[in-house]
Amino acid sequence: MTQTTISRRAFIQTSVAAGGGLLLGFHVPGADAASVEAHPWKTPTDGVEINAWLTIDRNGVVTVRVPHTEMGQGALTSVAMMIAEELNVDWSKIQAVFADPNRHLTRGREYKVMTTHGSQLVRLQHPHIMQAGASARERLKAAAAQAWRVDRSAVEAKLGVLKSGKRSGTYAEFATAAAAIQLPTEPAIKTPDQWWLLGQSKQRLDIPRKVDGSAAFAIDTRLPGMVYAAVKCCPVPWGKLKSFSFDAVKQRPGVIAAIELKAVPGKTAFSDMQNGVAIVADTWYRAKTALDLMPIEWDFGPAAQSSTESQWAEARKLLEQPGEVSNATGANAIEMIGAGGKVIAAEYHRPWETHARMEPINATVSVTDSRVDVWSPTQDQSLALTLAADQTGRDVKDVFVHTVFLGGGFGGGGGGNTAVTRQAAELSRQLKRPVKVVWSREEDINHDKQRPPNMTAFKALLGDKGLPSAWFTRSVWFTQDGMPRIGAAHADYSIGNMPYKVPNRHHERHNGKTHIPTATHRAPGAGQHGFMTESFVDEVAIAGGWNPLDWRIEMTKGMDDWQRVLLTLKEKSGFRTDLPRGEGMGIGIVESHGSIAAACATVTVSRRGALHVEKLVIVVDSGHVINPLGGIEQCEGSAAWELSHAWVGGLDLKEGRFTNTNFDTYNLLRIDQMPQVDVHFALSGGSKWGGLGEPAGPPVPPAVANAIFYATGKRIRSTPFRSHDLSWS
Amino acid sequence: MAIALQINGETHTVDTEPETPLLWVLRDNIGLTGTKFGCGIAQCGVCTVHLDGQAVKSCAIPVSAAVGRRITTIEGLTAKGQLHPVQAAWIEAGVPQCGYCQSGQIMAAAALLARRRNPSDQEIDAAMSGNLCRCGTYLRIRQGIRRAAALMQTE
Ligand code: FES
Ligand code: FES
């Protein structure tokens, strides 16, 4: 271990020992930067606060406070770039730290939004983030103008230097004066044609910390006097704990306590406690071993009857019944299809999937008489704060959430927005010492909030030129309590709102119920359903004698953004349908998070059915891209995410619980399955701002399935692909 | 029971059951949290460390089996403040996203390059297929290994 690593690590621990001053942020002057600074080799700086978003120190180093969480999607870098753009400072003078959630909640939501989801950071938050940078710049100019007795408009602010005629000074010199200035009116933010920094590729600021083991994740939290808890909740969610026999394990080394955890009626919104039991010990492995050995009896309840088979049987029953109409245009599509003609019909389905973030779900909470401190892998620090306050009965002003790197987010609010934050808060409250709760991988997969399964029936009637004249879909998905938080609209997202100009359309959906906790996953709705619509589109196109790419171009005529993406895909991919048997290309295009993304897959399938995905060409229109390198990384990751589910994923439900709960049975994509990925942007600019953290995923599964069809003649209507026999002769 | 271990060139003595996996001794007893927990059943590779220079999954090695052997963790890969070529290549190629799997990826890659100076793509895939990355950074892992191989040639 090197000297620098030791001292940084030691610093982290000492600072935490001193009462958590380290990450608590900005109400403790001078204690703010520390473990989350983007350039870890730089010492934390005492700067002048110009506004909640930034400080400037005497060397001109600008420290940007980022209210969003970093899960590798580039939040630290994006926010810092947007501030640097407006403030006009050299990129090498910028560092990023996490903003303080307690300050946010106790000072009237100073950062406006502190959650991080829906690929929203840049597309929706850029106006107020850039505004903060612009405002700081204008106040620096005003301070210089006052000193120099000139008009503010006569002062130029560039790369950290203020200038008017022969006079000049650094931002640092005017920082204190600027901090006191109130502007009569706030400046407007720049338009994209005025950018000098945004639009350039910048490497993410968090990368150097992630190659030497020094990046702090919630699971790495270590506090003086901390103890470790392993937990087991009823394997069938919402079942009850009948009994457990602590006597059988309490003599084991290091074991401290067994504590029952109880679901609290009325507190089932979003971050639910489940019924279960925790064992607390002096190390996590001792806690986990004792928990595994402890006899526990459960009352599984009626949900123990449910299985994958029973769920699909229920779905097929619902598919026979009219659902809620989500979209209908033109004449009655159902009647038209019922009257006969050339009808294409197919049923598609996709199973449960789980986030399986590489960092297992965990949280550390320290409850003392005066304050509560929380370390949790959450995408929403303000929610984590509220949950801990609620569980411990404390006022939010006494609760401090420490933002740490997330070992994967992927939606659902992050691993911290499960029961775990409440569990750790409850255990620490009872034991009066810091407690770290870590879920075993089996607990993580069985008790995470899952991606809803969906079954959809499609029908299309072919009309003139072999193009569809009527289109009908009926979808069923299963969510806990209809999952109001995701919104019923997601039940047939990317199905009912497909872009194609079919004159007569009718779309229906059912929100089926399940006891399985559900939540958003990367690209909710679109991730599951893009595969269905875009595979069925190929079925319809081919039945009508069309090349699937030409069909899509024809069916989106007059829709400029779709045309741009499809034509770029055509140019970049060289899509063709005449490859020899065993080889195939396929395409898909799906809109989500305000962006349109298309994929072209090239695959080979051996005679015996071994699939190899060689290449993915991805084209995205997100309107604008502030950091192309970061955008490409997100597209690569999104593609891997959806390919993983579609090719090798799928949870199996049996007796009310999932049976494949570790990586020997719940499979994730491995490196030898990863195709080459080429990403191209086809930007429409203007007022369009789309996300990039998710949209490139959904078109990938249909592109691969459509390519498999060309390679083998086999139409795949469910995932994972590996459960299908792909052999051909 | 007191167990003495050689970790990153230093001797550590811990008091634990001999069957405790090395992973948990590193993380909870010693505080070397750069080595991660992901599955506990040798399926994900985030816990990868070196035992006498070979990549092993520390969740599947009882601490008793590490006695008398050289243990290197991610924290020990950086020698005298100098990044290992794999770490330098990882920064250049911008490999990490969330970063959680990357200690394990880097340790597996460093062990591969110690054994094969210039691995083929197949050898890279074979050596790295025990290391999962949920963020899907596999393309950049391959690039990073090729870049590290080049850096090591010129050293
Ligand atoms: S934790 Fe060791 S291989 Fe997964
Ligand atoms: S970088 Fe996130 S799991 Fe690999």
Side-chain angles (χ1 to χ4, degrees), chain B residues 20-99:
Chain B
T20 309
L22 176 60
L23 168 65
W24 295 106
V25 172
L26 292 171
R27 287 184 58 83
D28 290 357
N29 296 81
I30 298 173
L32 289 171
T33 53
T35 305
K36 304 301 188 202
F37 163 58
C39 69
I41 57 163
Q43 290 292 316
C44 75
V46 303
C47 65
T48 306
V49 300
H50 294 175
L51 262 196
D52 291 335
Q54 302 244 339
V56 296
K57 294 183 169 122
S58 65
C59 70
I61 304 267
V63 66
S64 54
V67 173
R69 302 174 70 180
R70 252 181 324 117
I71 303 162
T72 310
T73 69
I74 186 73
E75 291 91 345
L77 199 63
T78 318
K80 301 196 185 71
Q82 185 79 35
L83 289 179
H84 185 282
V86 171
Q87 293 171 309
W90 245 236
I91 293 176
E92 266 187 56
V95 178
Q97 287 192 20
C98 83

Side-chain angles (χ1 to χ4, degrees), chain A residues 159-243:
Chain A
L159 296 177
V161 178
L162 295 154
K163 224 188 234 162
S164 182
K166 283 195 215 98
R167 307 213 200 210
S168 75
T170 63
Y171 286 7
E173 289 168 43
F174 291 97
T176 307
I181 282 177
Q182 296 259 347
L183 295 173
T185 51
E186 287 293 328
I189 63 167
K190 290 183 182 176
T191 49
D193 56 302
Q194 297 170 316
W195 293 349
W196 64 276
L197 175 66
L198 297 183
Q200 290 178 31
S201 281
K202 290 286 169 213
Q203 203 182 55
R204 296 198 336 272
L205 297 170
D206 51 316
I207 285 178
R209 291 193 65 92
K210 293 177 174 175
V211 303
D212 63 1
S214 66
F217 296 86
I219 202 170
D220 301 330
T221 308
R222 292 169 63 81
L223 302 168
M226 184 181 84
V227 290
Y228 297 78
V231 296
K232 208 177 256 182
C233 287
C234 182
V236 178
W238 309 110
K240 297 200 173 82
L241 177 68
K242 273 209 281 208
S243 66

Side-chain angles (χ1 to χ4, degrees), chain A residues 196-397:
Chain A
W196 64 276
L197 175 66
L198 297 183
Q200 290 178 31
S201 281
K202 290 286 169 213
Q203 203 182 55
R204 296 198 336 272
L205 297 170
D206 51 316
I207 285 178
R209 291 193 65 92
K210 293 177 174 175
V211 303
D212 63 1
S214 66
F217 296 86
I219 202 170
D220 301 330
T221 308
R222 292 169 63 81
L223 302 168
M226 184 181 84
V227 290
Y228 297 78
V231 296
K232 208 177 256 182
C233 287
C234 182
V236 178
W238 309 110
K240 297 200 173 82
L241 177 68
K242 273 209 281 208
S243 66
F244 61 92
S245 159
F246 185 44
D247 284 347
V249 294
K250 81 170 180 231
Q251 303 304 333
R252 290 191 56 83
V255 169
I256 295 166
I259 295 176
E260 184 176 349
L261 298 162
K262 291 194 193 104
V264 186
K267 280 192 183 170
T268 54
F270 208 48
S271 196
D272 333 298
M273 278 290 252
Q274 289 266 344
N275 299 305
V277 58
I279 290 226
V280 182
D282 62 351
T283 68
W284 188 75
Y285 190 74
R286 283 173 161 174
K288 160 82 162 63
T289 310
L291 183 63
D292 285 346
L293 291 168
M294 184 166 77
I296 306 175
E297 275 193 88
W298 305 103
D299 171 3
F300 295 132
Q305 309 302 317
S306 65
S307 65
T308 301
E309 293 73 30
S310 72
Q311 168 196 296
W312 290 142
E314 194 188 330
R316 291 205 171 92
K317 244 192 265 160
L318 287 168
L319 286 177
E320 300 297 317
Q321 301 161 23
E324 175 202 354
V325 177
S326 63
N327 190 2
T329 47
N332 188 324
I334 302 180
E335 278 176 17
M336 287 176 67
I337 290 167
K342 187 157 184 195
V343 173
I344 322 297
E347 175 198 287
Y348 281 80
H349 60 87
R350 296 202 65 180
W352 292 99
E353 302 285 357
T354 192
H355 292 101
R357 309 166 183 99
M358 292 315 295
E359 179 185 11
I361 289 170
N362 71 91
T364 302
V365 176
S366 164
V367 180
T368 65
D369 289 344
S370 59
R371 58 187 286 155
V372 176
D373 289 274
V374 181
W375 290 258
S376 150
T378 179
Q379 288 175 225
D380 184 346
Q381 304 100 312
S382 46
L383 177 69
L385 196 159
T386 318
L387 285 171
D390 185 61
Q391 189 69 34
T392 54
R394 298 294 178 83
D395 192 294
V396 291
K397 74 171 179 15

Side-chain angles (χ1 to χ4, degrees), chain A residues 358 407-408, chain B residues 95-102 105 132-137:
Chain A
M358 292 315 295
Chain B
V95 178
Q97 287 192 20
C98 83
Y100 193 80
C101 72
Q102 298 295 344
Q105 306 280 6
L132 292 172
C133 175
R134 188 61 158 147
C135 297
T137 65

Side-chain angles (χ1 to χ4, degrees), chain A residues 71-94:
Chain A
M71 42 206 136
Q73 91 286 25
L76 290 172
T77 316
S78 299
V79 174
M81 282 179 81
M82 290 189 275
I83 297 274
E85 169 69 49
E86 289 286 357
L87 189 60
N88 208 320
V89 278
D90 191 88
W91 183 236
S92 67
K93 292 268 193 175
I94 291 273

